[in-house]
Each structure stands twice: as structure tokens, then as C-alpha cells.
Amino acid sequence: MTILTPEFLAWSSQEIHRTAEDHWRKHGTTSIKTVLFAADGVPRLVEFDQGIGQEAAGDAVREHAERIGAVAVALTAVARVAEVEIDLAPQEPGAGAAVRLVGDFGRAVLTLTIWPGRAVTTSLCSDIRTGLDGPAVLAAVREGTPSDLAEFAGLIAWLTGLLPETAAPQPQTDR
């Protein structure tokens, strides 16, 4: 029996990401995949129809997570990425905040893995680079750590909310 450890979760996350990259190379796309981990460390793919919407997909993941007692989750998909800079100072009286786009819009194969009970959060990102002649290639995988994942805060909170309450970090009490 495998026991879930941070090292095993990291290895599993890399395997999930490699599978998504291979699918993209063969088909030019990658379906959204959600994999749950119970304390026994066995990865379990959540089956749901693509395109069912975020709420229905969330319900499917929540049900599966509760059924198996999931403590960690990995999500992989092709994501649209861009750097956005928001200037909070209005440009003229009564105007809203100005938004400036910095850099290029792009796509990436992204895998985000969280284990709230152990405060483990990692991301794997492979940029999809398209040349002037059209062909797209995957760049080398970049691995993120909790200190540089502020841009994923909303997704991390949503994924954490899909896990049973018992998966969340428990406050430490002195005995």
C-alpha cells in the first residue's frame, strides 16, 4: 500500500503533467483532468463530461472527493495566460480603473496540485509557443512553488473547496 507523501504527490503531478503534454503534442489540445488523492496515495481520475460547466464539474469532483476521502487534488488543462497590470488611479474624473496589457497573450499546459492539510501547492507550466509560420511547440516545464503562486490564488481556493472539510489544515492545539 502506498502512503501519500509530498514526494509521491510531486512525482504524480509530474506524471499527470507529462501525460497532458503528450496529449497536446498528439492532438493539439488537452482536456481538463482532475485527479484526487486519498491518504493511501492512490490517484483517482474524476470522470465528467467536458463542457459541463464549472459548477457541475465542481459538484462531480466534490462528490467523488467525499466518497474516497480525498486529501489532495491535481488539475491539468490548457490555460490562456497573459500578464495584466491594473492602474488603480483613474485616468479622468469619474472613470474606472485603467487596464494595461503587458506582454503577450499565450497558452500553456498547466498542472496545479494542492494538499491543503500539508500546505503543499505546486504548479507545472509548459508554455505553448507559436511561431510566425504557425507551428506551436511546448517550452520546457517550469515548476512553481507556493511563494510564486499568487496568480493562482482564486483557483487554489476553488480547488481547496472541492475537497472534504477534513482535508483542510487543522489548527494545532497544545495538549
Side-chain angles (χ1 to χ4, degrees):
M1 175 199 307
T2 304
I3 296 177
L4 189 60
T5 63
E7 294 79 17
F8 180 76
L9 187 61
W11 176 83
S12 295
S13 183
Q14 290 169 354
E15 290 300 307
I16 292 164
H17 189 78
R18 273 195 270 278
T19 300
E21 285 181 325
D22 289 345
H23 194 275
W24 184 86
R25 284 185 187 100
K26 289 177 186 168
H27 305 286
T29 188
T30 294
S31 300
I32 296 171
K33 299 284 185 203
T34 306
V35 179
L36 297 169
F37 296 84
D40 64 7
V42 177
R44 294 170 177 96
L45 179 66
V46 180
E47 299 283 344
F48 56 82
D49 295 327
Q50 297 295 314
I52 63 172
Q54 184 174 344
E55 190 172 319
D59 290 343
V61 173
R62 242 183 247 95
E63 287 174 20
H64 198 129
E66 189 68 41
R67 193 168 46 252
I68 68 166
V71 296
V73 59
L75 174 82
T76 190
V78 170
R80 291 182 187 359
V81 292
E83 293 181 30
V84 178
E85 183 178 310
I86 300 175
D87 182 358
L88 298 178
Q91 300 301 316
E92 50 190 76
V99 176
R100 285 187 304 230
L101 298 177
V102 179
D104 295 326
F105 283 97
R107 296 180 301 152
V109 175
L110 175 70
T111 302
L112 183 62
T113 305
I114 62 168
W115 186 1
R118 294 289 292 270
V120 173
T121 304
T122 62
S123 73
L124 298 168
C125 183
S126 300
D127 291 331
I128 300 170
R129 298 199 177 141
T130 306
L132 293 175
D133 57 353
V137 296
L138 284 177
V141 176
R142 291 189 325 270
E143 187 167 346
T145 61
S147 63
D148 62 3
L149 289 178
E151 64 205 77
F152 299 116
L155 183 55
I156 291 168
W158 182 75
L159 284 170
T160 300
L162 299 178
L163 296 171
E165 291 291 321
T166 56
Q170 301 301 314
Q172 299 295 324
T173 58
D174 293 336
R175 293 185 182 217

